[in-house]
Amino acid sequence: MMTMLSEHYGPLEEQLGDLYLPAVARPPIVCLLHGGFWRMPYGREQMTAVAADLAERGFAVWNLEYRRLGARGGGWPGTFDDVVAGVAHLEKVAARGVGLDLRRLTVAGHSAGGQLALWAGGRGVDESPPSTGKRVRIAAVAALAPIADLERAHDLQVGGTAIAELLAGTPQSARTTYRMASPRQLLPLGIPQLLLHGTADDVVPIDISREYARAARLAGDDVELRELDGSGHMEYLDPSSAAHDALCRWLERMTAE
């Protein structure tokens, strides 16, 4: 049995998430970040089935919404600020007496959400007020068909103009922003990472994950790239898929006490 509650982590309409709580003491946490090329109208409902399944498996799940392109403040830096604030909000939840294991937090994201998950893992979370007495720390990242290199993806026209819209420019005109936003530029992240990518993905080329994984290992990171033979881009949203099973097995291994 589980419970689910929705709550805001900020004053804006989009700054909210759904928290799924399993009937276990101090569960590990998975923060989910949906895809959709950072654009409206794609939202956290994409991850609802995955969130419910993970909660049934004993994880606390924070299915996070964030400002997207098409909403006021979406893009750089608003979208990114929301991810940091949303993850840090779990400290306030724990301070209210909700039993969460803030030491075992994995951020998992799909597609554009995979980019945000890797970015958050590299950026870290340092927004909590000291008065909470509890600090959240991103312990690992699972990136599902992620856009792990924004410069490379821009050059390949992944998502059309989405990356240029997100960062308000090209890698040439907004060089500093790309360095700050692209996971590839943040290496090493210093935490374990799982990359799942289908060999038949025709939305985000698997070579982006292959190149990122090679660079991350060279930088000293603990990175596991699982290539899913014949899988496309959207299987991760189906709890009955082999892609989701691969994620669950890794999460269980990473969060085992």
Side-chain angles (χ1 to χ4, degrees), residues 191-205:
I191 56 175
Q193 301 153 59
L194 170 71
L195 275 68
L196 295 177
H197 214 126
T199 60
D201 192 327
D202 59 359
V203 177
V204 178

Side-chain angles (χ1 to χ4, degrees), residues 37 111 147 157-159 197 200-206 208 232-234:
F37 287 114
S111 192
I147 307 174
Q157 298 184 325
V158 174
H197 214 126
D201 192 327
D202 59 359
V203 177
V204 178
I206 193 172
I208 291 179
H233 191 67
M234 301 301 290

Side-chain angles (χ1 to χ4, degrees), residues 35-40 42 69 111-112 145-147 149-167 178 201-205 208 233:
F37 287 114
W38 312 278
R39 286 179 168 140
M40 299 281 284
Y42 307 106
L69 297 170
S111 192
I147 307 174
D149 185 338
L150 292 179
E151 292 186 14
R152 177 81 169 126
H154 175 275
D155 292 344
L156 293 173
Q157 298 184 325
V158 174
T161 61
I163 296 170
E165 293 172 32
L166 178 74
L167 301 182
Y178 276 77
D201 192 327
D202 59 359
V203 177
V204 178
I208 291 179
H233 191 67

Side-chain angles (χ1 to χ4, degrees), residues 1-2 20-24 49-61:
M1 182 177 179
M2 66 176 176
Y20 296 73
L21 296 170
V24 298
V50 168
D53 180 79
L54 290 173
E56 292 291 347
R57 294 172 184 262
F59 295 95
V61 184

Side-chain angles (χ1 to χ4, degrees), residues 38-253:
W38 312 278
R39 286 179 168 140
M40 299 281 284
Y42 307 106
R44 70 190 188 284
E45 66 277 359
Q46 289 187 340
M47 307 298 278
T48 298
V50 168
D53 180 79
L54 290 173
E56 292 291 347
R57 294 172 184 262
F59 295 95
V61 184
W62 181 221
N63 190 14
L64 192 66
E65 194 54 270
Y66 50 85
R67 283 174 287 175
R68 290 142 287 159
L69 297 170
R72 185 175 181 180
W76 180 269
T79 295
F80 297 76
D81 290 343
D82 284 357
V83 171
V84 172
V87 173
H89 181 74
L90 292 170
E91 298 168 1
K92 297 179 181 178
V93 175
R96 298 201 307 258
V98 178
L100 299 172
D101 191 342
L102 298 179
R103 301 167 304 164
R104 292 189 293 161
L105 168 65
T106 301
V107 180
H110 171 239
S111 192
Q115 177 270 323
L116 292 172
L118 290 167
W119 174 85
R123 157 77 167 68
V125 179
D126 56 9
E127 302 298 309
S128 68
S131 60
T132 65
K134 300 179 180 180
R135 301 300 296 264
V136 66
R137 181 182 69 87
I138 298 174
V141 171
L144 318 175
I147 307 174
D149 185 338
L150 292 179
E151 292 186 14
R152 177 81 169 126
H154 175 275
D155 292 344
L156 293 173
Q157 298 184 325
V158 174
T161 61
I163 296 170
E165 293 172 32
L166 178 74
L167 301 182
T170 67
Q172 293 72 40
S173 67
R175 185 174 297 112
T176 299
T177 306
Y178 276 77
R179 283 202 301 267
M180 296 172 68
S182 180
R184 175 75 180 265
Q185 298 297 321
L186 297 177
L187 294 172
L189 304 192
I191 56 175
Q193 301 153 59
L194 170 71
L195 275 68
L196 295 177
H197 214 126
T199 60
D201 192 327
D202 59 359
V203 177
V204 178
I206 193 172
D207 280 346
I208 291 179
S209 284
R210 289 169 175 163
E211 293 163 6
Y212 174 89
R214 282 195 292 268
R217 291 179 187 124
L218 286 173
D221 272 348
D222 175 5
V223 178
E224 179 180 345
L225 171 61
R226 290 279 307 278
E227 298 191 11
L228 305 173
D229 188 39
S231 290
H233 191 67
M234 301 301 290
E235 284 88 337
Y236 311 94
L237 308 186
D238 178 3
S240 68
S241 69
H244 181 69
D245 182 66
L247 169 65
C248 292
R249 290 177 182 274
W250 184 83
L251 286 171
E252 289 164 359
R253 188 171 76 247

